[in-house]
């Protein structure tokens, strides 16, 4: 069962579009990003290949983030690595009138 956790208030400061930022939900670090079209993405900022940090990495024009260690490139739409070598853990995100929420099981 997914439980929704508020990470941004509706009238509080929001990050600039295209710039990922870190948030903490139930003791878990999550990277949150607002895309240029206003949609949101959230992911665990750890490469599933060898646990390299993905903190602060901006997506490329294809909507992928690339691990600095071995250059694995993950889609922020699906979580899958471009060559099928793993999957990034993504979280559902909802923007509501009352703020921005991340869903966690």
């Amino acid at each position: 069962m997914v439980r929704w956790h508020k990470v941004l208030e509706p009238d509080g400061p929001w990050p600039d579009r295209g710039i990922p930022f870190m948030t903490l939900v139930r003791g878990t670090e999550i990277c949150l990003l607002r895309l240029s079209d206003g949609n949101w993405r959230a992911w665990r900022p750890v490469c599933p290949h060898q646990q390299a940090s993905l903190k602060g990495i901006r997506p490329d024009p294809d909507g992928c983030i690339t691990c600095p260690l071995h250059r694995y490139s993950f889609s922020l739409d699906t979580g899958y690595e471009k060559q099928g070598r793993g999957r990034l853990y993504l979280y559902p995100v909802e923007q509501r009138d009352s703020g921005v929420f991340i869903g966690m099981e």
Side-chain angles (χ1 to χ4, degrees):
M1 174 182 203
V2 174
R3 291 197 171 161
W4 294 94
H5 304 272
K6 186 185 284 189
V7 293
L8 293 172
E9 295 291 335
D11 56 354
W14 282 18
D16 291 331
R17 293 175 191 231
I19 299 177
F21 77 99
M22 298 300 299
T23 188
L24 194 63
V25 178
R26 291 181 36 206
T28 300
E29 283 188 313
I30 297 174
C31 193
L32 184 65
L33 172 72
R34 185 167 54 145
L35 302 172
S36 59
D37 63 6
N39 288 316
W40 294 88
R41 299 291 182 269
W43 64 94
R44 185 174 296 142
V46 176
C47 179
H49 174 230
Q50 288 190 341
Q51 309 306 301
S53 174
L54 301 176
K55 293 178 186 177
I57 297 175
R58 291 185 186 193
D60 63 25
D62 293 335
C64 295
I65 57 170
T66 301
C67 176
L69 190 59
H70 292 112
R71 310 303 299 161
Y72 283 28
S73 185
F74 298 92
S75 167
L76 291 180
D77 288 330
T78 66
Y80 287 104
E81 199 274 332
K82 284 184 177 180
Q83 297 180 9
R85 298 178 290 190
R87 187 173 187 192
L88 189 65
Y89 191 89
L90 302 178
Y91 295 92
V93 184
E94 287 187 1
Q95 181 175 334
R96 305 175 188 167
D97 290 341
S98 57
V100 176
F101 293 78
I102 292 177
M104 294 181 77
E105 293 182 9

